[in-house]
Amino acid sequence: MSKKPFLTIAPSDFKKDLKVDESILLKAIEKLDKRKGCYATNEYFYEYFNKTMSIPTISRKIHILQRKDYVRISYSNHKTKRTIHVNNKYEYSLDKQTVGVIRYMNKLLKKNYVKELIPNDPHTKTLVSEAIVRYRSSDALLIAFKKEFKDVAELDSADTALKWLSRTKIFDEDLPF
């Protein structure tokens, strides 16, 4: 086995919908991916993790990551060579990004002791998903939102946040990239 890449794990690497070992496996795949794909075999990961996970468990965990949209898997050479591609945060499904934006905005409202939160209904989801598309990512949308409401006290109701979402227009200087 070649030299193992060193993993630095931060608290943000642990995903709420993944078990600890799945989050660590995802981090290892991200480290090996380098935007060209991770070609590591289950046996490689078995050795990498010092034989603490069995090969069948590694296979199951990779398929869990795939099912939860963290990775894409492709095969070549008649299914003999697997490539794992990490879906970066901009490639997560629009629905997942939409739910994340609503949760984040509701956390800000709660911090400001607002009782009426942003509803998680179809109309709101449409409004939020359209804003994500306009901003090209949920991260860019939230950066603009934070810029608009630097003083959290201005965020006095869910209605204020929804009005901002519906009227927001973007300009190139608003995009973080």
Side-chain angles (χ1 to χ4, degrees):
M1 184 170 94
S2 61
K3 187 178 175 186
K4 294 183 201 178
F6 181 74
L7 282 185
T8 303
I9 309 231
S12 61
D13 293 323
F14 294 97
K15 314 295 182 202
K16 289 182 180 180
D17 62 334
L18 296 178
K19 293 179 180 175
V20 172
D21 56 351
E22 293 163 352
S23 291
I24 293 170
L25 178 59
L26 176 61
K27 184 68 175 182
I29 293 168
E30 286 173 347
K31 188 78 172 176
L32 294 167
D33 181 19
K34 297 180 183 161
R35 297 193 177 263
K36 294 181 181 177
C38 168
Y39 301 101
T41 63
N42 294 345
E43 291 78 12
Y44 175 89
F45 288 119
Y46 175 70
E47 293 291 329
Y48 183 86
F49 292 114
N50 296 320
K51 303 177 183 176
T52 57
M53 269 193 268
S54 70
I55 292 172
T57 299
I58 292 166
S59 181
R60 259 192 324 277
K61 301 289 182 189
I62 290 171
H63 286 288
I64 288 169
L65 294 175
Q66 180 184 29
R67 194 173 63 246
K68 292 184 177 183
D69 290 329
Y70 286 100
V71 298
R72 295 181 316 279
I73 299 173
S74 59
Y75 295 92
S76 62
N77 298 340
H78 307 290
K79 282 198 157 198
T80 58
K81 187 175 181 184
R82 173 187 70 196
T83 306
I84 306 170
H85 298 275
V86 175
N87 290 332
N88 70 33
K89 57 187 159 193
Y90 302 113
E91 294 174 324
Y92 292 142
S93 74
L94 185 57
D95 186 51
K96 285 184 180 185
Q97 290 183 60
T98 300
V99 169
V101 167
I102 292 170
R103 281 186 188 148
Y104 181 82
M105 290 178 167
N106 280 334
K107 280 183 187 176
L108 288 179
L109 288 166
K110 284 178 186 176
K111 277 185 182 177
N112 210 29
Y113 303 103
V114 174
K115 290 184 181 173
E116 176 204 352
L117 300 179
I118 298 170
N120 199 0
D121 60 23
H123 172 72
T124 304
K125 284 183 175 181
T126 300
L127 191 64
V128 171
S129 64
E130 287 172 353
I132 290 170
V133 170
R134 283 195 308 272
Y135 277 88
R136 300 186 197 147
S137 77
S138 58
D139 285 350
L141 172 65
L142 290 173
I143 287 168
F145 185 77
K146 287 181 211 173
K147 229 189 249 185
E148 179 72 19
F149 296 102
K150 284 180 202 153
D151 180 10
V152 179
E154 294 174 16
L155 190 57
D156 57 357
S157 70
D159 196 46
T160 303
L162 292 173
K163 282 179 184 172
W164 179 83
L165 279 170
S166 63
R167 70 171 165 72
T168 185
K169 300 285 184 252
I170 63 164
F171 303 97
D172 285 340
E173 62 268 14
D174 292 332
L175 296 174
F177 38 86

PDB file of all heavy atoms in Angstrom, residues 37-49:
ATOM      1  N   GLY A  37     -11.632  11.757  -9.068  1.00  0.00           N
ATOM      2  CA  GLY A  37     -12.205  10.484  -8.669  1.00  0.00           C
ATOM      3  C   GLY A  37     -11.276   9.732  -7.741  1.00  0.00           C
ATOM      4  O   GLY A  37     -10.055   9.857  -7.809  1.00  0.00           O
ATOM      5  N   CYS A  38     -11.868   8.954  -6.875  1.00  0.00           N
ATOM      6  CA  CYS A  38     -11.119   8.125  -5.938  1.00  0.00           C
ATOM      7  C   CYS A  38     -11.166   6.696  -6.472  1.00  0.00           C
ATOM      8  O   CYS A  38     -12.243   6.139  -6.690  1.00  0.00           O
ATOM      9  CB  CYS A  38     -11.777   8.206  -4.561  1.00  0.00           C
ATOM     10  SG  CYS A  38     -11.173   6.989  -3.388  1.00  0.00           S
ATOM     11  N   TYR A  39     -10.014   6.121  -6.712  1.00  0.00           N
ATOM     12  CA  TYR A  39      -9.927   4.772  -7.288  1.00  0.00           C
ATOM     13  C   TYR A  39      -9.635   3.707  -6.231  1.00  0.00           C
ATOM     14  O   TYR A  39      -9.402   2.558  -6.565  1.00  0.00           O
ATOM     15  CB  TYR A  39      -8.830   4.733  -8.362  1.00  0.00           C
ATOM     16  CG  TYR A  39      -9.079   5.724  -9.471  1.00  0.00           C
ATOM     17  CD1 TYR A  39      -8.399   6.932  -9.514  1.00  0.00           C
ATOM     18  CD2 TYR A  39     -10.018   5.457 -10.463  1.00  0.00           C
ATOM     19  CE1 TYR A  39      -8.640   7.855 -10.526  1.00  0.00           C
ATOM     20  CE2 TYR A  39     -10.264   6.373 -11.470  1.00  0.00           C
ATOM     21  CZ  TYR A  39      -9.568   7.568 -11.495  1.00  0.00           C
ATOM     22  OH  TYR A  39      -9.816   8.471 -12.486  1.00  0.00           O
ATOM     23  N   ALA A  40      -9.667   4.093  -4.967  1.00  0.00           N
ATOM     24  CA  ALA A  40      -9.323   3.161  -3.894  1.00  0.00           C
ATOM     25  C   ALA A  40     -10.312   1.999  -3.839  1.00  0.00           C
ATOM     26  O   ALA A  40     -11.513   2.181  -3.973  1.00  0.00           O
ATOM     27  CB  ALA A  40      -9.294   3.885  -2.557  1.00  0.00           C
ATOM     28  N   THR A  41      -9.788   0.843  -3.626  1.00  0.00           N
ATOM     29  CA  THR A  41     -10.617  -0.364  -3.507  1.00  0.00           C
ATOM     30  C   THR A  41     -11.062  -0.527  -2.051  1.00  0.00           C
ATOM     31  O   THR A  41     -10.526   0.129  -1.142  1.00  0.00           O
ATOM     32  CB  THR A  41      -9.822  -1.615  -3.918  1.00  0.00           C
ATOM     33  OG1 THR A  41      -8.723  -1.760  -3.001  1.00  0.00           O
ATOM     34  CG2 THR A  41      -9.307  -1.513  -5.347  1.00  0.00           C
ATOM     35  N   ASN A  42     -11.996  -1.409  -1.838  1.00  0.00           N
ATOM     36  CA  ASN A  42     -12.421  -1.707  -0.466  1.00  0.00           C
ATOM     37  C   ASN A  42     -11.248  -2.254   0.343  1.00  0.00           C
ATOM     38  O   ASN A  42     -11.120  -1.969   1.537  1.00  0.00           O
ATOM     39  CB  ASN A  42     -13.573  -2.705  -0.464  1.00  0.00           C
ATOM     40  CG  ASN A  42     -14.823  -2.118  -1.096  1.00  0.00           C
ATOM     41  OD1 ASN A  42     -14.929  -0.908  -1.278  1.00  0.00           O
ATOM     42  ND2 ASN A  42     -15.764  -2.973  -1.444  1.00  0.00           N
ATOM     43  N   GLU A  43     -10.384  -3.030  -0.315  1.00  0.00           N
ATOM     44  CA  GLU A  43      -9.213  -3.576   0.355  1.00  0.00           C
ATOM     45  C   GLU A  43      -8.259  -2.455   0.791  1.00  0.00           C
ATOM     46  O   GLU A  43      -7.651  -2.522   1.862  1.00  0.00           O
ATOM     47  CB  GLU A  43      -8.481  -4.576  -0.557  1.00  0.00           C
ATOM     48  CG  GLU A  43      -9.242  -5.857  -0.815  1.00  0.00           C
ATOM     49  CD  GLU A  43     -10.379  -5.723  -1.853  1.00  0.00           C
ATOM     50  OE1 GLU A  43     -10.467  -4.686  -2.570  1.00  0.00           O
ATOM     51  OE2 GLU A  43     -11.189  -6.653  -1.927  1.00  0.00           O
ATOM     52  N   TYR A  44      -8.128  -1.432  -0.050  1.00  0.00           N
ATOM     53  CA  TYR A  44      -7.287  -0.284   0.299  1.00  0.00           C
ATOM     54  C   TYR A  44      -7.819   0.366   1.574  1.00  0.00           C
ATOM     55  O   TYR A  44      -7.058   0.643   2.508  1.00  0.00           O
ATOM     56  CB  TYR A  44      -7.257   0.741  -0.834  1.00  0.00           C
ATOM     57  CG  TYR A  44      -6.493   1.994  -0.463  1.00  0.00           C
ATOM     58  CD1 TYR A  44      -5.115   2.089  -0.679  1.00  0.00           C
ATOM     59  CD2 TYR A  44      -7.136   3.088   0.126  1.00  0.00           C
ATOM     60  CE1 TYR A  44      -4.400   3.228  -0.316  1.00  0.00           C
ATOM     61  CE2 TYR A  44      -6.439   4.225   0.496  1.00  0.00           C
ATOM     62  CZ  TYR A  44      -5.083   4.287   0.262  1.00  0.00           C
ATOM     63  OH  TYR A  44      -4.377   5.411   0.631  1.00  0.00           O
ATOM     64  N   PHE A  45      -9.138   0.610   1.630  1.00  0.00           N
ATOM     65  CA  PHE A  45      -9.726   1.234   2.823  1.00  0.00           C
ATOM     66  C   PHE A  45      -9.584   0.325   4.047  1.00  0.00           C
ATOM     67  O   PHE A  45      -9.383   0.804   5.160  1.00  0.00           O
ATOM     68  CB  PHE A  45     -11.189   1.605   2.590  1.00  0.00           C
ATOM     69  CG  PHE A  45     -11.369   2.787   1.670  1.00  0.00           C
ATOM     70  CD1 PHE A  45     -12.059   2.655   0.478  1.00  0.00           C
ATOM     71  CD2 PHE A  45     -10.844   4.031   1.994  1.00  0.00           C
ATOM     72  CE1 PHE A  45     -12.225   3.741  -0.368  1.00  0.00           C
ATOM     73  CE2 PHE A  45     -10.995   5.131   1.154  1.00  0.00           C
ATOM     74  CZ  PHE A  45     -11.688   4.977  -0.031  1.00  0.00           C
ATOM     75  N   TYR A  46      -9.681  -0.966   3.838  1.00  0.00           N
ATOM     76  CA  TYR A  46      -9.501  -1.936   4.922  1.00  0.00           C
ATOM     77  C   TYR A  46      -8.117  -1.754   5.555  1.00  0.00           C
ATOM     78  O   TYR A  46      -7.973  -1.680   6.776  1.00  0.00           O
ATOM     79  CB  TYR A  46      -9.677  -3.348   4.351  1.00  0.00           C
ATOM     80  CG  TYR A  46      -9.417  -4.475   5.317  1.00  0.00           C
ATOM     81  CD1 TYR A  46     -10.294  -4.721   6.386  1.00  0.00           C
ATOM     82  CD2 TYR A  46      -8.328  -5.323   5.153  1.00  0.00           C
ATOM     83  CE1 TYR A  46     -10.064  -5.778   7.262  1.00  0.00           C
ATOM     84  CE2 TYR A  46      -8.096  -6.371   6.031  1.00  0.00           C
ATOM     85  CZ  TYR A  46      -8.968  -6.599   7.075  1.00  0.00           C
ATOM     86  OH  TYR A  46      -8.747  -7.632   7.942  1.00  0.00           O
ATOM     87  N   GLU A  47      -7.092  -1.664   4.718  1.00  0.00           N
ATOM     88  CA  GLU A  47      -5.730  -1.435   5.203  1.00  0.00           C
ATOM     89  C   GLU A  47      -5.591  -0.019   5.770  1.00  0.00           C
ATOM     90  O   GLU A  47      -4.949   0.184   6.802  1.00  0.00           O
ATOM     91  CB  GLU A  47      -4.708  -1.650   4.076  1.00  0.00           C
ATOM     92  CG  GLU A  47      -4.607  -3.070   3.594  1.00  0.00           C
ATOM     93  CD  GLU A  47      -3.981  -3.992   4.629  1.00  0.00           C
ATOM     94  OE1 GLU A  47      -3.135  -3.537   5.428  1.00  0.00           O
ATOM     95  OE2 GLU A  47      -4.359  -5.181   4.651  1.00  0.00           O
ATOM     96  N   TYR A  48      -6.173   0.946   5.085  1.00  0.00           N
ATOM     97  CA  TYR A  48      -6.066   2.351   5.483  1.00  0.00           C
ATOM     98  C   TYR A  48      -6.573   2.560   6.908  1.00  0.00           C
ATOM     99  O   TYR A  48      -5.979   3.280   7.693  1.00  0.00           O
ATOM    100  CB  TYR A  48      -6.852   3.227   4.505  1.00  0.00           C
ATOM    101  CG  TYR A  48      -6.741   4.696   4.804  1.00  0.00           C
ATOM    102  CD1 TYR A  48      -5.688   5.442   4.296  1.00  0.00           C
ATOM    103  CD2 TYR A  48      -7.664   5.343   5.623  1.00  0.00           C
ATOM    104  CE1 TYR A  48      -5.551   6.793   4.584  1.00  0.00           C
ATOM    105  CE2 TYR A  48      -7.545   6.690   5.912  1.00  0.00           C
ATOM    106  CZ  TYR A  48      -6.486   7.405   5.388  1.00  0.00           C
ATOM    107  OH  TYR A  48      -6.349   8.730   5.683  1.00  0.00           O
ATOM    108  N   PHE A  49      -7.700   1.921   7.214  1.00  0.00           N
ATOM    109  CA  PHE A  49      -8.289   2.056   8.543  1.00  0.00           C
ATOM    110  C   PHE A  49      -7.786   0.975   9.506  1.00  0.00           C
ATOM    111  O   PHE A  49      -8.447   0.646  10.476  1.00  0.00           O
ATOM    112  CB  PHE A  49      -9.814   2.047   8.462  1.00  0.00           C
ATOM    113  CG  PHE A  49     -10.373   3.272   7.791  1.00  0.00           C
ATOM    114  CD1 PHE A  49     -11.038   3.179   6.581  1.00  0.00           C
ATOM    115  CD2 PHE A  49     -10.215   4.523   8.366  1.00  0.00           C
ATOM    116  CE1 PHE A  49     -11.536   4.312   5.965  1.00  0.00           C
ATOM    117  CE2 PHE A  49     -10.710   5.662   7.754  1.00  0.00           C
ATOM    118  CZ  PHE A  49     -11.368   5.566   6.541  1.00  0.00           C
TER     119      PHE A  49
END
